[in-house]
Amino acid sequence: MRILVLEDDSELGNWIQTGLTDAGHVVDWLEDGRHALAAVTTQEYDVVLLDRMTPGLDGLSVLKAMRAAKNNVPVLILSALGDVECRVQGLDAGSDDYLAKPFAFTELLARINALGRRSQTGAQEIVQMLTAGDLELDLLKRQCTRQGRNIELNTKEFLLLEILLRNPGRIQTKAMLLEKVWDLRFDPTTSVVETHISRLRAKVDKPFDETLIRTVRGAGYVVDLTR
Amino acid sequence: MLLTLPVNLNALRRLKKMTALRQAAFLTLVFLAVLMIAGWFSAQWISRELDSGINDELKLRHEALSRQLKDQPSPGNLLPNSSVMFASFTDARQQVFGDNSKKLYRRAGVSEIEFEDTHSDEESRWRIYNAPAAGGQLVVAINLDHRYDVLERIGQSYLVVSIIVSVVTLVVGLMIGLYNQRRYSRISQTLDTIAAGDLSARINQTKARDDLDLVAQRIDLTTVRLESLVKQTQDLSANIAHDLKTPMARLRARLESALISPDAEDNAVTLEAALEQIDKMIATFEAILRIAYLNSGEYRARFQPLPLADIVRETADIYSPVVEDSGRQLILDVKGHTAVLCSRELLIQLLANLIENAIRHTPPDSVIWLTCHGRVLTIEDNGPGIPEHERTRVLEPMYRLEKSRSTSGSGLGLSLVSTISQLHQAKLVLTDTGVDKSPQGLKIQLAFPVAEP
């Protein structure tokens, strides 16, 4: 993917650029908000990363200008100001996601992948059936079957599995799952996500030979069919 | 001389600035003005009343005299003759009795003349009534100077009253001013001491007789709160430093050993552990910033009326597997469907903190009761509880019971709970668990206010 990064801190910017390049993306890293706005209007990007506090023009203003010009590239706001108010301001201005500094690189990468996929598929396509190997998830009938056997899932377990299946091969971090499944944006000190994943696994994976939900250490969970 | 003069000038200036005295002087002026206007009006009124009284008396006297004069052979004896009143009678044969001045008969009816009567050497003002009586003309005269005497006396009495009232008002105003000045000085001296940094200073106004005393009491209350906040902040910074030193020491040790070790695989493990320590520190800072942000109160604008029971159920859904996996039990009891003005996210975080606390500080096999009845939310456990004298202190940021210093946690959980409940204007009470459930245990109760429409 082509990614534009607006970040005025050179060490952090360098770290993001190197990391994303290593992950196979093409990265343009700019330090000035005005340059970023110029770049985003003249070139095509798949994802744009904006820091909030930047010289020239701040990230939020760049975003507003982009959205005013009907530029709908997915935008991820990076900010040292991690609180809800800032998140809401970012979302109001038209950002697609928000990440508070300091963050783990795996978290950033997972979120960028999720955003990039959204821009590729365009509008959310309506799917009735999600499949992963021998597991089938019927979104209309709210049914889960594996090898023809019916698996009883409660609402949240169903949603958790649905999110993992909708993003095959893409890591879902704990924070992303907390946001998408439970609509929570704080970090619980206990293992909330782990517990629910292990319950889900007990139903979906344990009675069968092949493991569908894989843990990526230090990052999150993924349903990966290539292995 | 040189020294005392500025002091006196200052004293004078202070006197001029004294609110009570200025008010007293102003009120005195207003009062005097009102008194003068009232005096003028009453003088007018009294003078008019006196006039008509004199006229009536003249006519009455005239009538009585004319009746008596009818069959009287010697009218001269009947006619009054004093410095206040006299009469003159001219009978049918043009014989004049009493004063025979021509002035008296010049005009018929009531009139006023300047006249020198037999009793005094000076001319004085008289009112006369000239009308026919007993076949002749009868004139009755009353001295008007007495009337002016009365008017003058009324004016004088008004003046005396004015002076007395002004002096009394000014003196009382000065006394009240001086008394209030002493109270003002005490307040401003205390405020000076506080401004200089001594937050233990108090005005100590125990009795509240007026608004000034109330203000003094409020200042004391504010200072008490300020002092405890400053104390908390000082404790907080010390505790932050203390609590961050441990993970930092570990972090340093790990990085150092990674630097020395030649084995790459070992290093990966060490560095991962180092990252974990950093995440812990970040979480601590996040919690501190969050509490500070919530304390600023901006958050309330986005509160919505939501059913408390729904939020409790949702939290129980998220946390009961976590509690069960930890070997404990979560018992949910929800009644009613009352809406409270709240933030769903903050309330879930509050409940999450309380549940996580209960998991962390109770032995395995403990029971956690989560109850929601109407607007009251309760979470109880049958763990070791918190000693009574520590119950308010555990709500302070970074305050931790000695015995729990060794367990994980930032010491900010309950403080965040307290901040969130304050933001919701909910009443937070920590007590023992009821006897029916556990002899000790901790019971945390939150009573939410009625949601405004």
Side-chain angles (χ1 to χ4, degrees):
Chain A
M1 284 194 286
R2 272 203 83 180
I3 300 168
L4 175 73
V5 177
L6 170 64
E7 170 61 69
D8 64 322
D9 183 273
S10 58
E11 198 170 325
L12 207 55
N14 200 7
W15 177 62
I16 294 172
Q17 189 180 32
T18 315
L20 290 180
T21 311
D22 286 351
H25 300 295
V26 180
V27 180
D28 288 348
W29 166 33
L30 298 173
E31 296 184 18
D32 189 298
R34 284 169 301 200
H35 300 161
L37 187 58
V40 93
T41 42
T42 51
Q43 292 168 64
E44 286 278 320
Y45 289 101
D46 297 304
V47 175
V48 173
L49 242 71
L50 297 175
D51 184 34
R52 275 195 63 161
M53 305 288 205
T54 47
L57 198 62
D58 67 288
L60 218 53
S61 305
V62 174
L63 174 61
K64 281 178 188 158
M66 279 171 63
R67 295 304 188 230
K70 302 266 182 271
N71 187 332
N72 291 323
V73 180
V75 169
L76 175 77
I77 296 264
L78 287 179
S79 171
L81 318 159
D83 228 294
V84 191
E85 190 70 31
C86 310
R87 198 193 312 270
V88 168
Q89 278 174 10
L91 293 176
D92 283 349
S95 86
D96 300 86
D97 204 354
Y98 193 102
L99 192 56
K101 287 183 200 170
F103 50 83
F105 193 78
T106 45
E107 186 75 41
L108 178 68
L109 196 60
R111 284 176 189 265
I112 285 178
N113 282 333
L115 285 180
R117 185 185 173 275
R118 198 183 301 171
S119 76
Q120 276 159 21
T121 52
Q124 284 272 332
E125 48 197 308
I126 298 156
V127 203
Q128 194 199 331
M129 193 75 84
L130 291 169
T131 53
D134 48 8
L135 181 113
E136 286 185 340
L137 199 63
D138 190 322
L139 297 181
L140 281 183
K141 292 185 187 155
R142 315 295 294 172
Q143 260 177 9
C144 177
T145 49
R146 187 164 184 188
Q147 295 175 4
R149 275 156 67 182
N150 202 24
I151 301 171
E152 281 294 325
L153 296 177
N154 68 31
T155 327
K156 293 294 176 190
E157 285 164 347
F158 193 92
L159 186 56
L160 190 55
L161 188 58
E162 180 188 333
I163 287 163
L164 287 169
L165 290 182
R166 270 189 193 276
N167 300 281
R170 286 184 189 83
I171 296 168
Q172 300 294 303
T173 63
K174 284 180 206 167
M176 286 162 83
L177 291 174
L178 275 172
E179 280 173 29
K180 289 179 187 167
V181 180
W182 292 279
D183 194 18
L184 292 184
R185 282 177 188 82
F186 62 90
D187 184 21
T189 54
T190 47
S191 44
V192 171
V193 181
E194 290 91 325
T195 306
H196 285 272
I197 286 279
S198 97
R199 300 254 158 156
L200 179 63
R201 271 181 176 149
K203 290 180 179 176
V204 175
D205 273 344
K206 222 177 175 187
F208 307 94
D209 310 326
E210 200 190 356
T211 309
L212 273 179
I213 305 167
R214 194 162 59 83
T215 308
V216 183
R217 263 192 77 203
Y221 303 92
V222 67
V223 169
D224 202 344
L225 298 172
T226 53
R227 287 170 54 146
Chain B
M1 236 352 245
L2 275 171
L3 261 170
T4 50
L5 191 64
V7 170
N8 284 339
L9 267 178
N10 273 339
L12 267 178
R13 254 181 233 136
R14 257 215 326 271
L15 213 61
K16 223 177 81 188
K17 276 187 187 164
M18 204 184 279
T19 323
L21 191 61
R22 280 159 76 166
Q23 283 171 352
F26 176 70
L27 281 178
T28 311
L29 279 177
V30 171
F31 187 77
L32 281 179
V34 171
L35 208 62
M36 275 158 131
I37 294 168
W40 185 77
F41 271 112
S42 55
Q44 291 293 313
W45 182 76
I46 288 169
S47 139
R48 228 183 34 231
E49 285 296 303
L50 279 176
D51 263 0
S52 74
I54 287 168
N55 290 353
D56 288 350
E57 200 185 337
L58 274 175
K59 281 171 189 165
L60 275 174
R61 270 308 177 100
H62 191 277
E63 215 176 295
L65 273 176
S66 59
R67 229 180 296 123
Q68 287 169 347
L69 283 170
K70 241 174 215 167
D71 344 279
Q72 191 51 248
S74 53
N77 298 333
L78 276 173
L79 299 175
N81 186 11
S82 71
S83 62
V84 182
M85 180 187 277
F86 70 88
S88 167
F89 181 60
T90 308
D91 63 9
R93 288 160 298 196
Q94 295 298 318
Q95 192 184 346
V96 178
F97 300 90
D99 206 300
N100 58 358
S101 169
K102 282 273 183 312
K103 264 184 181 176
L104 297 173
Y105 293 95
R106 208 173 283 156
R107 229 179 280 165
V110 177
S111 61
E112 269 177 37
I113 53 163
E114 296 281 333
F115 188 74
E116 192 183 316
D117 67 308
T118 48
H119 297 274
S120 71
D121 305 330
E122 287 176 45
E123 282 204 332
S124 46
R125 287 172 61 78
W126 294 82
R127 179 161 300 168
I128 55 172
Y129 181 52
N130 177 16
Q137 283 291 119
L138 176 64
V139 175
V140 184
I142 287 182
N143 194 336
L144 284 179
D145 281 356
H146 286 281
R147 191 193 67 152
Y148 286 110
D149 280 355
V150 170
L151 277 180
E152 223 165 79
R153 246 166 254 145
I154 288 171
Q156 277 163 1
S157 65
Y158 262 95
L159 192 69
V160 170
V161 166
S162 301
I163 291 168
I164 290 172
V165 165
S166 309
V167 169
V168 167
T169 318
L170 280 174
V171 166
V172 170
L174 188 65
M175 273 161 61
I176 294 174
L178 283 174
Y179 169 67
N180 280 346
Q181 197 64 36
R182 270 209 302 279
R183 298 197 294 168
Y184 281 127
S185 321
R186 212 161 91 199
I187 292 175
S188 74
Q189 270 165 21
T190 312
L191 283 176
D192 284 348
T193 317
I194 293 168
D198 179 9
L199 288 176
S200 64
R202 299 284 180 272
I203 303 163
N204 280 329
Q205 189 66 54
T206 42
K207 272 182 271 173
R209 277 161 304 204
D210 57 13
D211 44 4
L212 191 62
D213 289 348
L214 276 178
V215 167
Q217 285 183 351
R218 291 279 151 77
I219 291 175
D220 274 359
L221 275 176
T222 313
T223 321
V224 168
R225 177 98 177 101
L226 209 61
E227 193 185 15
S228 89
L229 276 178
V230 168
K231 173 84 173 49
Q232 259 184 42
T233 315
Q234 284 164 351
D235 288 357
L236 178 64
S237 16
N239 282 337
I240 290 173
H242 181 269
D243 273 31
L244 286 180
K245 248 182 132 172
T246 317
M248 276 179 161
R250 287 189 200 140
L251 179 64
R252 199 183 183 292
R254 290 208 163 114
L255 289 177
E256 201 169 4
S257 65
L259 200 64
I260 299 165
S261 162
D263 185 2
E265 214 162 287
D266 267 7
N267 277 352
V269 177
T270 313
L271 288 176
E272 204 173 308
L275 273 181
E276 220 168 87
Q277 292 296 330
I278 289 181
D279 284 345
K280 230 177 240 175
M281 290 192 271
I282 290 170
T284 303
F285 278 118
E286 287 275 318
I288 292 168
L289 286 174
R290 202 167 164 82
I291 289 173
Y293 173 70
L294 290 178
N295 270 329
S296 73
E298 293 162 41
Y299 212 101
R300 257 191 86 78
R302 283 212 312 280
F303 277 18
Q304 287 175 321
L306 298 170
L308 198 56
D310 288 0
I311 294 172
V312 172
R313 271 197 209 95
E314 197 181 341
T315 315
D317 275 349
I318 299 171
Y319 272 91
S320 59
V322 179
V323 175
E324 278 166 31
D325 282 10
S326 77
R328 293 165 185 83
Q329 200 189 343
L330 184 72
I331 298 176
L332 184 67
D333 174 12
V334 178
K335 271 183 208 146
H337 198 75
T338 317
V340 296
L341 198 64
C342 67
S343 145
R344 167 193 166 273
E345 171 138 13
L346 285 185
L347 282 194
I348 291 184
Q349 180 158 28
L350 177 147
L351 286 168
N353 277 353
L354 290 177
I355 293 171
E356 282 168 2
N357 249 347
I359 295 174
R360 201 175 296 128
H361 299 295
T362 57
D365 296 326
S366 298
V367 184
I368 301 166
W369 290 271
L370 180 57
T371 317
C372 171
H373 288 173
R375 268 186 297 276
V376 181
L377 208 154
T378 318
I379 178 156
E380 295 164 86
D381 64 56
N382 55 358
I386 297 177
E388 200 168 344
H389 61 279
E390 302 263 39
R391 279 180 199 148
T392 48
R393 293 222 61 195
V394 290
L395 299 177
E396 292 171 16
M398 307 291 282
Y399 182 83
R400 299 175 68 185
L401 302 184
E402 261 328 298
K403 59 187 178 202
S404 70
R405 269 219 175 264
S406 50
T407 59
S408 65
S410 58
L412 288 164
L414 274 181
S415 173
L416 190 59
V417 166
S418 162
T419 305
I420 293 175
S421 65
Q422 269 176 30
L423 201 60
H424 285 84
Q425 290 164 357
K427 210 175 143 215
L428 179 68
V429 183
L430 273 67
T431 48
D432 286 323
T433 304
V435 193
D436 54 320
K437 284 175 178 159
S438 161
Q440 30 192 344
L442 176 64
K443 175 178 178 176
I444 297 172
Q445 191 167 67
L446 268 155
F448 288 84
V450 182
E452 301 127 41

